[in-house]
Amino acid sequence: MVYKIKTMFKNNVIENDLPDINEISFKKIHKNYFKVILLNIGITFSIFIIGLFFFIYFKPNKIIPSYTYVLYIGLGAFLLFLLLYFYIGFSRRKYALRAHDISYKSGVLIKSLTTVPFNRIQHIEIEEGLFSRLFRLASLNIFTAGAAGKDLTVKGISRIEALKIKAFITDKIND
Amino acid sequence: MTNSFDFTEFNRQSKKGILILFFKNMYGFLKKAWVLIPMFIIKKPNPEKLEQFFLIIGVIVFSLLVKSILDFIFFKFKIDDKHFILKEGILNKKQLSIPFDRIQNVNFKQSFIQQLINVTQVEIETAGAKKTEISIKAINHNKAIAIKKQLFDSGLINSEVIDSKENAVKPILKISILELFKISITENHFKSFMLFVGFLFMIYSQVKDTFKSFTLKETVGVDLEQQAPNTLIGFSIIILIAFIIGLIISFIRVFLIHFNLTVFVKNNTLEIAQGLLTKRHHILKKEKVQHITIRTNPLKQLLGISSITFKQANSTKTKAIKLIRIVGCENKHLENVKDLLYNRYDLSDHKKIKPHRYYIFQMGIRSIIFLAIVNIFVLLPMLYDPETPANFRYFYWNFLLIPIIAFFILLKYKKSYYKFNSEILIKGFGQIGTDTTYFEHFKIQSITTKQTIFQKKRGIKDLFLVTAVGKIKLPCIKNKQANLLYNYFLYQTEISTKQWM
C-alpha cells in the first residue's frame, strides 16, 4: 500500500522529501503551568465538595448516612485518578513552530496533533487566565476560517514567548 | 430597446417595493408586539372598547405605512468608480461604500409576494473585515440583472454584448415537473423516517404498557393475550400512515425547494435558479466552493440521477456556511460541474484506499456501548418504579437490533474509501446511500490527527481535514499513509497562491 503512494507521488513530479511534521522536535510547555492546572482542579473540587457537604447536611433524608463515607472515598479516588491523568498528560503537551505553520500535540488516552498553516490564520489572541497571570504565563489562541471556534490553542507558555510567537506569525503573514 | 440603466445617479427601488417594505415593517412590529395581543383577546369585547381597539389598529397601520414610504424614499443606491454606494435610514442615516472586489456574491430571491407583484430581491454579500449584507427588497427584474452584471462581471464594459451572451447560454440542467416528481420519490428521507418511526414505536409501547398495568387493577380477568394481535395490527397501520405522511412531506419539500431548477455555467461561475414560493437565484463563484458532495442511493441509481451539494464559505469573519443543493443530475451534468471546478478529477484508475479493518471493530464497540446505555436507561426506571412490573420483554429487542446494527456497520465500511492525486482528494462514504466528496488540498484551514491507545497498537490514526465549512474525517488510516497525507496537505496549502475562497 505505502509504496504505491510513493510511486503515485513520483509520477506527479512532487519532491519525495516533503517536510515531515514527525521529524521536528517539539517544545514542552512551561512547567509552571502544571501548578495552574492543580489550582484549577483544586478550586473546582472545593466548590463541588462544599456544595455536596451542604446538600448532605441539610437534606439528611435523601442519602442514607452510612453511604456518605463511600461517596467521599469515591470522590477521593476520582480526584487521585484525575491528578494522575493530568500528570502523565502534562509532559505530552508540546508545540512547534516552523517557517510556515504552527503545531500542537497533546493527549493521554487520545493523542492529537494539529497544525495550522500561517496563510490560513485569521487572527491570533493571547489570553491570560487568573492563575496563569500569577506565573506570568499565557495562552495562545489561533483562529482560522475553520467551522468551529478556536482551531489551535497552546496553553501554558510564558507571556513573553506568546508575544514573540504572535509577532513572528503576524510578520510572516504580512510578508 | 436597450436594457441599460443609469446607475451613476442615485436610484431608488421599484415603487411596488413600498408594499414589500410595509409587510416587512408589519412583520417586525408583530414580532415585538405579539405579547400585547393576548391582552386584547382576554378582555370581553365591549362596543366602546371595540371602537378604541380599531382606532388603535388604524393608527398603527397608518404609521407603518408612513414608515414604509419614508424607508423607500430614503433608500438610495448608485454605482460610482467601481464602488457600490448605498444610502439609507430616516433618522439614523447610514452610508455604505463597498468596493467591487469586496463583493463576494450577488444573489436574487423572490418570495411569494414578490413574485405576485413582479419584483426581485437582490442580495449582495461582502467579505473582508466587516461583513455586510445588502438587501434591496424590490427591483424590477431587468434592473436587477443590470446591477448584477455591473457588480459581478466588473471589467466587462459592453453591456449589450453581455446581454446577447446571456440569451445564447443554454442551461446545462433543467428539471421538469415530472422529473421533479420522480426525484422526490428517490430522496433519501427513508432513513430519517425510519428513525422517527422507531422512536414513535418505543414511546407507543411504553405508554401502552403503562396503561395496561392500570386497567389490570380495574378490570380483572381481561384476557390480554387476545389484545396482542390487535396491537400488532395497530402498529402496522400506524407505520403505514407515518410512511405515507413521510412520502408526502418529502414530495412537498422537493417541490418547494427545487421547482424549475435550472443550472447555467458561465464565466467560471455556476448559476442555479430554483424554488416555487421562494425563488432563489444563486451565483456560485468557482473559488468559493469548498467542497462538493455527490449523493446517490439505490432508487436514484435506478433513475440514473444524483444530487450535488455545494458547500460554500460565506465570509471569513462570520463562519457562515451556505449549502446549495441541486437534484436530478445525470452523469453528464456531474461531469460538467466537475469540469468547471477541477482540472484533473478523474481518479477512476486509482485504487480505492480502504480504512483499516479495525474501523469495523471500533464502530461495533461504540454501538454496543450505546445499546448498553439505552438498555440501562430503560431498566433503571423499571427497577425503581414499584407499580410497573419489570418487563424483561423489552430486552428481546436487542436480539433484533444487533444484527440490524451489524449490517449497517458492514455496509458503512463497504462504502468507506478515499483516493487522491496532486490536486484533489475524493472521499467515499455513506450507508444506504452512496456519497462522494471532492475536495481540493489547498482548501484546508488546519489539519488534525487523533489516535486512541487502541489505534496506536495497530499503527493507525484518524485524519481530520478542517475546512471552512466543516471537518472531513478519514478514519483508521495506517500511520505512514496518514503522515504522508498530513505533510502533503500542509505542503499544498503552504505553497498555494490560489484563492481558497
Side-chain angles (χ1 to χ4, degrees):
Chain A
M1 259 288 113
V2 179
Y3 66 83
K4 180 151 194 201
I5 294 171
K6 279 202 183 136
T7 51
M8 268 165 25
F9 271 129
K10 270 203 203 126
N11 289 337
N12 292 328
V13 199
I14 299 291
E15 303 94 272
N16 252 336
D17 47 350
L18 289 168
D20 192 350
I21 193 73
N22 294 302
E23 277 173 13
I24 60 173
S25 56
F26 280 68
K27 198 171 165 186
K28 285 193 188 177
I29 60 175
H30 202 285
K31 59 178 161 70
N32 278 341
Y33 189 67
F34 191 64
K35 299 180 191 166
V36 177
I37 293 178
L38 287 175
L39 279 167
N40 280 326
I41 293 179
I43 296 280
T44 315
F45 245 83
S46 308
I47 296 176
F48 187 66
I49 300 256
I50 292 172
L52 197 68
F53 180 72
F54 273 113
F55 180 70
I56 294 175
Y57 189 70
F58 286 115
K59 299 219 171 179
N61 53 327
K62 283 272 179 172
I63 297 180
I64 305 165
S66 58
Y67 280 163
T68 53
Y69 288 106
V70 178
L71 201 66
Y72 282 126
I73 293 173
L75 267 172
F78 178 65
L79 181 68
L80 250 120
F81 173 73
L82 208 65
L83 288 170
L84 191 70
Y85 179 84
F86 275 103
Y87 181 71
I88 299 175
F90 189 77
S91 54
R92 306 244 177 120
R93 299 187 188 198
K94 299 180 188 168
Y95 65 100
L97 208 57
R98 296 195 294 186
H100 300 285
D101 53 42
I102 177 169
S103 311
Y104 180 71
K105 62 174 162 184
S106 64
V108 178
L109 295 172
I110 302 180
K111 288 215 205 133
S112 82
L113 164 66
T114 303
T115 305
V116 179
F118 291 163
N119 61 3
R120 295 286 179 265
I121 295 179
Q122 298 291 322
H123 70 276
I124 306 173
E125 263 176 28
I126 295 184
E127 203 181 312
E128 289 172 81
L130 181 63
F131 295 129
S132 295
R133 209 172 302 168
L134 285 173
F135 298 95
R136 278 178 292 232
L137 300 173
S139 297
L140 194 69
N141 297 331
I142 298 194
F143 296 81
T144 68
K150 296 175 228 170
D151 297 87
L152 194 145
T153 301
V154 184
K155 290 190 197 172
I157 47 177
S158 75
R159 194 171 165 272
I160 300 169
E161 178 83 5
L163 287 165
K164 265 201 235 165
I165 296 176
K166 180 174 178 192
F168 174 71
I169 299 178
T170 314
D171 198 41
K172 282 278 170 173
I173 298 175
N174 291 333
D175 266 342
Chain B
M1 180 180 141
T2 51
N3 279 342
S4 54
F5 296 95
D6 183 17
F7 292 118
T8 55
E9 295 296 318
F10 271 113
N11 275 255
R12 291 210 174 92
Q13 305 174 73
S14 160
K15 287 216 185 71
K16 298 186 231 177
I18 297 178
L19 191 69
I20 303 286
L21 287 169
F22 175 71
F23 279 118
K24 173 176 161 249
N25 284 326
M26 188 157 79
Y27 180 66
F29 173 77
L30 283 173
K31 264 197 351 197
K32 289 180 212 155
W34 71 271
V35 266
L36 299 170
I37 296 176
M39 242 178 68
F40 290 105
I41 298 175
I42 291 172
K43 290 194 179 157
K44 272 202 180 148
N46 184 333
E48 274 179 16
K49 289 267 175 165
L50 212 63
E51 253 184 50
Q52 261 186 14
F53 179 67
F54 280 120
L55 193 69
I56 294 174
I57 299 239
V59 168
I60 292 174
V61 169
F62 181 70
S63 33
L64 282 176
L65 194 64
V66 168
K67 180 172 189 290
S68 309
I69 295 176
L70 287 174
D71 277 337
F72 168 80
I73 292 177
F74 287 100
F75 188 96
K76 295 187 246 188
F77 58 92
K78 71 174 181 181
I79 293 177
D80 192 16
D81 183 29
K82 299 232 174 209
H83 277 64
F84 180 84
I85 299 169
L86 172 69
K87 268 193 191 169
E88 63 174 342
I90 310 169
L91 295 171
N92 192 0
K93 291 199 193 265
K94 266 202 317 195
Q95 179 161 334
L96 281 164
S97 175
I98 297 176
F100 280 4
D101 54 17
R102 259 185 65 198
I103 293 177
Q104 288 285 329
N105 248 337
V106 179
N107 289 321
F108 295 161
K109 197 174 149 187
Q110 268 185 311
S111 73
F112 190 55
I113 300 174
Q114 283 164 330
Q115 282 178 60
L116 277 179
I117 60 177
N118 201 17
V119 290
T120 304
Q121 181 168 325
V122 177
E123 312 208 295
I124 302 173
E125 288 164 9
T126 69
K130 236 179 115 203
K131 189 226 174 205
T132 42
E133 211 175 89
I134 296 175
S135 185
I136 308 176
K137 294 266 182 309
I139 288 214
N140 166 287
H141 192 67
N142 288 330
K143 212 174 187 181
I145 294 179
I147 294 180
K148 176 195 132 200
K149 275 183 199 142
Q150 288 215 22
L151 295 177
F152 218 70
D153 313 330
S154 54
L156 293 162
I157 310 153
N158 196 340
S159 58
E160 239 131 347
V161 174
I162 300 168
D163 242 328
S164 53
K165 261 196 193 164
E166 173 130 87
N167 291 330
V169 172
K170 276 215 285 249
I172 63 163
L173 176 65
K174 203 166 152 80
I175 306 277
S176 70
I177 298 182
L178 182 65
E179 285 167 342
L180 209 59
F181 182 69
K182 282 195 261 176
I183 290 166
S184 68
I185 298 178
T186 66
E187 278 300 295
N188 197 2
H189 295 290
F190 289 134
K191 192 171 179 189
S192 39
F193 156 78
M194 278 291 150
L195 288 169
F196 177 66
V197 163
F199 179 69
L200 268 182
F201 194 71
M202 237 177 69
I203 293 189
Y204 184 76
S205 45
Q206 270 276 40
V207 171
K208 199 117 222 297
D209 270 313
T210 323
F211 279 111
K212 254 196 211 163
S213 58
F214 279 116
T215 53
L216 206 71
K217 286 178 194 163
E218 291 175 343
T219 56
V220 187
V222 170
D223 194 348
L224 284 165
E225 302 295 15
Q226 251 191 359
Q227 299 279 358
N230 288 341
T231 49
L232 199 62
I233 294 176
F235 284 174
S236 325
I237 291 178
I238 286 183
I239 290 178
L240 195 64
I241 292 176
F243 178 81
I244 294 175
I245 291 178
L247 207 63
I248 294 175
I249 290 176
S250 74
F251 175 63
I252 293 176
R253 263 192 81 231
V254 168
F255 212 73
L256 282 178
I257 298 174
H258 299 295
F259 183 73
N260 215 17
L261 169 61
T262 315
V263 180
F264 295 93
V265 174
K266 288 197 289 185
N267 292 343
N268 275 344
T269 63
L270 210 60
E271 295 198 15
I272 300 169
Q274 58 186 348
L276 182 61
L277 289 182
T278 303
K279 280 200 198 151
R280 286 175 208 269
H281 185 131
H282 291 291
I283 301 163
L284 218 56
K285 251 180 169 168
K286 156 180 162 171
E287 299 82 32
K288 292 196 66 185
V289 174
Q290 298 300 300
H291 50 92
I292 64 171
T293 299
I294 299 174
R295 307 192 94 127
T296 186
N297 60 41
L299 280 174
K300 282 203 175 82
Q301 278 165 337
L302 269 177
L303 294 178
I305 56 172
S306 328
S307 72
I308 309 181
T309 305
F310 298 89
K311 277 199 174 156
Q312 205 192 176
N314 239 357
S315 157
T316 53
K317 278 292 166 171
T318 62
K319 299 190 178 186
I321 310 168
K322 233 229 220 116
L323 258 173
I324 299 169
R325 207 162 141 250
I326 58 180
V327 294
C329 302
E330 295 167 26
N331 267 337
K332 60 173 190 234
H333 304 127
L334 296 178
E335 294 303 307
N336 277 333
V337 170
K338 287 191 254 180
D339 248 332
L340 169 71
L341 297 172
Y342 310 119
N343 293 324
R344 290 178 301 123
Y345 57 83
D346 186 10
L347 272 72
S348 42
D349 57 335
H350 284 57
K351 196 169 167 195
K352 292 183 181 175
I353 306 174
K354 307 269 318 161
H356 193 277
R357 299 214 128 215
Y358 175 73
Y359 187 45
I360 302 175
F361 186 68
Q362 190 175 284
M363 286 194 276
I365 296 282
R366 287 178 191 182
S367 309
I368 290 175
I369 293 176
F370 175 73
L371 254 172
I373 293 176
V374 169
N375 276 313
I376 290 172
F377 272 103
V378 174
L379 180 67
L380 278 178
M382 286 198 309
L383 286 177
Y384 269 104
D385 192 354
E387 289 190 31
T388 52
N391 205 341
F392 290 104
R393 276 195 307 145
Y394 284 119
F395 299 101
Y396 294 168
W397 281 113
N398 290 327
F399 289 116
L400 185 63
L401 283 173
I402 289 176
I404 292 179
I405 290 177
F407 172 69
F408 276 112
I409 288 178
L410 286 171
L411 200 58
K412 188 167 181 184
Y413 180 77
K414 182 168 172 241
K415 304 262 170 104
S416 276
Y417 69 88
Y418 68 91
K419 293 183 189 179
F420 67 99
N421 66 14
S422 59
E423 187 193 338
I424 59 174
L425 175 101
I426 297 180
K427 175 186 170 182
F429 59 107
Q431 279 180 305
I432 306 174
T434 307
D435 303 330
T436 319
T437 294
Y438 285 73
F439 179 67
E440 285 167 290
H441 301 320
F442 70 94
K443 296 214 172 184
I444 59 163
Q445 297 300 309
S446 65
I447 189 166
T448 303
T449 61
K450 286 207 163 103
Q451 187 183 50
T452 67
I453 43 180
F454 308 109
Q455 285 175 326
K456 185 171 180 188
K457 271 191 245 166
R458 289 166 179 84
I460 55 176
K461 42 176 99 157
D462 293 338
L463 186 65
F464 293 89
L465 309 169
V466 182
T467 76
V469 293
K471 288 189 198 174
I472 297 178
K473 179 181 178 185
L474 298 178
C476 298
I477 314 180
K478 293 216 188 89
N479 282 340
K480 250 185 170 167
Q481 284 177 27
N483 295 338
L484 204 59
L485 279 171
Y486 195 92
N487 294 323
Y488 191 60
F489 271 102
L490 282 173
Y491 173 72
Q492 284 288 355
T493 308
E494 287 158 13
I495 63 167
S496 168
T497 47
K498 289 191 244 183
Q499 260 186 299
W500 62 267
M501 187 175 130

